[in-house]
Amino acid sequence: MFDLDGKVAAVTGAGNGLGRAEAIALAKAGARVVLNDLPGEALDRVAAEIGGQAVVVPGDISLMETAEALLKPFGGLDILVNNAGVLRDRMVFTMSEEEWDLVMRVHLRGHFVTTRVATAHWREASKAAGKPVYGRIVNTSSEAFLLGSAGQPNYAAAKAGITALTLATARSCARYGVRANAICPRARTSMTSALMGPAPDEHDPMSPDCVAPLVVYLASPASEHITGEVFVVHGNVAAVMGPPTVRAHWRAEAPMWTVDDLHKVLGPMDSTGFVCHDTLPLAESTFGE
């Protein structure tokens, strides 16, 4: 169920950190791996570490031609792991257009162009075969998309977009055999080392190696029943997030709301966003829907 022998996997951002760990784990599971990152020694080292079943396709992953090149080394693709990213942290009121555009381009556009190429390939193959094919997408989001990140408005927005892209892909491409999921990893990498500090001398619960098994599982035949999900993973923890819920709702007694009536139900909300229970709502109120 977990054997990837004969499968082709492309991993973006494979030169370091999460991408490196994921690529190595996929190769150990039997996959032939296409490694993408910007040209450099780091990417070549990962390829050398994996050996003959790895091929390097360097280039800017936000470019369509780079995404298209991922299909060429082995004549197709079965698994796509989007991991490439970059940070340009700044508060929203001091962020430059360039800092915004770069992060959105690498993260969100980078996920889009690879998804566009992979899903088009699988759709064509499915139509030719007259049945669903094998297609797996694992995208890299972040808890920042839900919780916000004060100094990372560009990053948080990009990760929100990646989550939405994942869900839309899962729904639109399921008929062709595509399974698309997102992970929100917590890991000590070159992007996060300034926040997390140095690794402990012994086992590091924030090691990228702790994230890789979930990626392998979501890439494997065993995950056939899983699509459109968002996972949080780190250390020995794996959690699946639920869809957004309606925390409370009200119905106006009149055919439509007035500003005055809205203040009667929304005004009592305290600073944490919870409605004060000692205030009777205007009409019906339901919590936790």
Side-chain angles (χ1 to χ4, degrees):
M1 295 194 307
F2 316 120
D3 186 9
L4 298 180
D5 187 44
K7 299 289 191 293
V8 177
V11 181
T12 72
N16 293 284
L18 284 166
R20 173 188 171 276
E22 292 160 353
I24 291 172
L26 289 165
K28 287 181 178 179
R32 291 174 290 174
V33 187
V34 181
L35 306 173
N36 165 261
D37 212 319
L38 294 176
E41 293 181 1
L43 190 60
D44 295 333
R45 280 197 299 268
V46 178
E49 189 172 354
I50 293 174
Q53 66 194 96
V55 174
V56 170
V57 177
D60 182 347
I61 200 55
S62 70
L63 300 178
M64 187 64 74
E65 53 262 38
T66 303
E68 291 171 342
L70 299 178
L71 274 64
K72 295 177 181 178
F74 298 110
L77 189 67
D78 302 293
I79 300 157
L80 170 63
V81 179
N82 279 311
N83 171 74
V86 65
L87 293 179
R88 290 296 184 272
D89 294 351
R90 200 175 298 276
M91 300 297 283
V92 67
F93 41 79
T94 57
M95 180 163 290
S96 69
E97 293 177 70
E98 292 76 18
E99 290 165 335
W100 173 271
D101 290 344
L102 175 63
V103 170
M104 295 296 286
R105 178 171 62 81
V106 175
H107 285 273
L108 186 51
R109 180 178 166 83
H111 276 64
F112 161 69
V113 294
T114 55
T115 298
R116 166 69 174 80
V117 168
T119 54
H121 169 72
W122 291 325
R123 178 174 178 264
E124 183 178 343
S126 174
K127 288 191 171 186
K131 60 181 181 180
V133 296
Y134 191 99
R136 298 287 190 272
I137 299 176
V138 182
N139 287 334
T140 304
S141 184
S142 167
E143 292 165 277
F145 92 88
L146 180 64
L147 304 175
S149 186
Q152 297 178 308
N154 46 5
Y155 179 80
K159 292 305 187 182
I162 288 168
T163 302
L165 173 64
T166 305
L167 301 182
T169 302
R171 282 155 180 73
S172 63
C173 297
R175 72 186 74 177
Y176 307 118
V178 178
R179 303 293 179 259
N181 296 284
I183 61 170
C184 298
R186 300 181 194 172
R188 196 185 316 275
T189 68
S190 58
M191 285 178 56
T192 62
S193 59
L195 296 173
M196 293 187 173
D201 293 333
E202 298 184 4
H203 173 70
D204 181 9
M206 293 293 107
S207 168
D209 293 335
C210 298
V211 175
L214 178 58
V215 173
V216 173
Y217 182 79
L218 293 175
S220 75
S223 69
E224 173 66 22
H225 62 295
I226 303 174
T227 194
E229 300 290 358
V230 180
F231 294 87
V232 175
V233 56
H234 57 92
N236 63 352
V237 174
V240 61
M241 301 182 72
T245 58
V246 177
R247 192 176 61 205
H249 80 265
W250 304 268
R251 297 184 190 277
E253 292 178 341
M256 64 177 287
W257 287 97
T258 66
V259 174
D260 223 27
D261 289 340
L262 284 167
H263 180 63
K264 291 176 183 177
V265 294
L266 300 179
M269 294 181 73
D270 65 18
S271 60
T272 63
F274 292 102
V275 177
C276 299
H277 293 285
D278 59 353
T279 304
L280 182 67
L282 179 65
E284 176 187 353
S285 178
T286 305
F287 297 90
E289 284 198 356

